[in-house]
Amino acid sequence: MTKPGTARRVFDPLLNELVAERDTSSERIRAKLTDAYDWCLCELCWRSTEYATAVGARKFFKRPRRENAHAAPLTDAIRVEAQKEADALVARYERAWKGEFGPYEPGRMVATYCDIVEMRGDCSVEAFREHVEQRALIAAWARHSNLLAVTRLPGQPKGAAKPSKLYCEAHNPRRSDEARRAYQRDKRFAPQYNELIEKIWTEQAGNLLAWDIEAHVHVKREAYRQLQVHKSPTRLIDDLLAQGTMSQAEIARQLGVSRQAVSAAIKRRSQKPMAID
Ligand SMILES: [Zn+2]
């Protein structure tokens, strides 16, 4: 593990070069980032991690000597350069499909140049082209500027906490008081949450496409919804009812569940507490 605040050189496959990264990347975070589907989803809910959001909003900057950095424009010259590179790769991919470089080359090229999650199992030449064009553009753009590491979320002020690789904006304990409370509230139930995720995958195995990121989001969202209702229906709903002014619909909105689920949970209050099984 690198000491906090220590800069290290890491290879960025997108840019094809070493970049300095100040990071505490623990084993846990590294393990998460290597999971093709889970890397971009919050540990405690179905939303994107702050990091995934920030990566999507990556911008390129130029820093002329000591002046302040400014955003680097995407020029026609960069586009032409990127297009040339993409065309060459697509041509090679077509030849690879014809078996020119051996049986494993198409797969190797997809693994090297594309995002398998985004490809969603479509390894056609068209899909390859689409992904490679996008990547080549980013790489060419970066060559004409300095890529700043993903240090801030869009719209976040200077000095704000670094985008979390584990949690979404609503669950990052360093983001705000509200997010810290949500984190503390849901962290305790993380084992049950993961159990629910497993359970839903098993139950719906026939209907879910394991290679589709949307299926992963759907399962996590559903597990989160079930957890909110199951996790302490009496106390949670009692608390909200005690505030007096809240309708069932408002409670439902607060808990992120349906009104029917709240109504069912209120009915269950008289019965024995439910456990997740
Ligand atoms: Zn979250």
Side-chain angles (χ1 to χ4, degrees):
M1 215 169 105
T2 320
K3 263 189 274 171
T6 313
R8 59 199 174 91
R9 307 285 287 172
V10 291
F11 184 73
D12 186 329
L14 195 66
L15 303 177
N16 225 2
E17 62 181 40
L18 287 167
V19 294
E21 190 168 83
R22 274 174 200 281
D23 221 342
T24 56
S25 288
S26 62
E27 286 301 325
R28 182 179 171 212
I29 288 170
R30 254 180 249 152
K32 181 171 175 71
L33 291 181
T34 53
D35 185 307
Y37 297 99
D38 205 38
W39 78 271
C40 57
L41 302 179
C42 174
E43 295 283 281
L44 300 174
C45 72
W46 70 95
R47 298 184 194 98
S48 290
T49 61
E50 292 186 333
Y51 180 72
T53 307
V55 167
R58 214 166 231 206
K59 281 211 173 66
F60 298 93
F61 297 85
K62 261 192 155 86
R63 196 194 295 273
R65 280 172 301 157
R66 281 162 179 261
E67 292 160 53
N68 285 335
H70 62 264
L74 179 58
T75 62
D76 286 344
I78 293 175
R79 286 182 196 280
V80 170
E81 185 182 318
Q83 193 60 52
K84 261 189 214 160
E85 205 173 293
D87 288 345
L89 278 171
V90 171
R92 192 175 188 282
Y93 189 62
E94 278 173 327
R95 287 170 61 194
W97 264 116
K98 287 174 190 146
E100 236 177 273
F101 310 108
Y104 305 114
E105 191 56 16
R108 202 194 61 81
M109 284 188 78
V110 168
T112 309
Y113 298 108
C114 303
D115 184 327
I116 293 181
V117 178
E118 283 176 20
M119 298 279 282
R120 297 188 180 181
D122 180 3
C123 293
S124 64
V125 173
E126 292 72 38
F128 184 81
R129 170 177 287 284
E130 199 181 300
H131 285 265
V132 161
E133 279 179 348
Q134 207 182 340
R135 291 218 158 189
L137 190 63
I138 290 173
W141 196 0
R143 275 197 297 273
H144 291 268
S145 54
N146 310 107
L147 172 69
L148 292 192
V150 192
T151 52
R152 245 186 278 165
L153 282 172
Q156 213 98 71
K158 209 177 167 187
K162 228 169 45 159
S164 169
K165 293 187 172 83
L166 294 173
Y167 305 108
C168 70
E169 221 174 329
H171 277 124
N172 180 3
R174 285 179 301 172
R175 186 58 59 206
S176 62
D177 288 348
E178 201 189 343
R180 201 186 59 246
R181 279 193 294 273
Y183 168 83
Q184 285 163 348
R185 201 173 58 223
D186 288 339
K187 185 72 181 170
R188 286 184 298 140
F189 290 94
Q192 287 93 326
Y193 179 53
N194 288 322
E195 267 172 45
L196 279 169
I197 292 172
E198 293 284 320
K199 187 169 154 241
I200 295 169
W201 272 113
T202 314
E203 282 171 359
Q204 302 190 21
N207 310 320
L208 291 169
L209 301 165
W211 49 263
D212 187 353
I213 185 77
E214 293 304 330
H216 291 257
V217 172
H218 163 80
V219 169
K220 293 195 92 171
R221 190 201 295 267
E222 178 60 19
Y224 190 77
R225 193 189 69 76
Q226 291 184 15
L227 184 67
Q228 299 313 303
V229 181
H230 281 295
K231 80 181 182 186
S232 144
T234 20
R235 221 193 58 228
L236 212 58
I237 289 172
D238 275 348
D239 283 356
L240 292 172
L241 285 173
Q243 292 175 23
T245 50
M246 241 183 240
S247 68
Q248 286 190 8
E250 278 166 322
I251 293 173
R253 200 171 46 78
Q254 281 258 322
L255 300 179
V257 299
S258 69
R259 199 191 51 76
Q260 289 83 348
V262 172
S263 152
I266 290 173
K267 270 187 209 133
R268 273 204 307 271
R269 286 198 303 170
S270 51
Q271 299 155 18
K272 66 182 167 90
M274 259 183 94
I276 296 162
D277 57 353

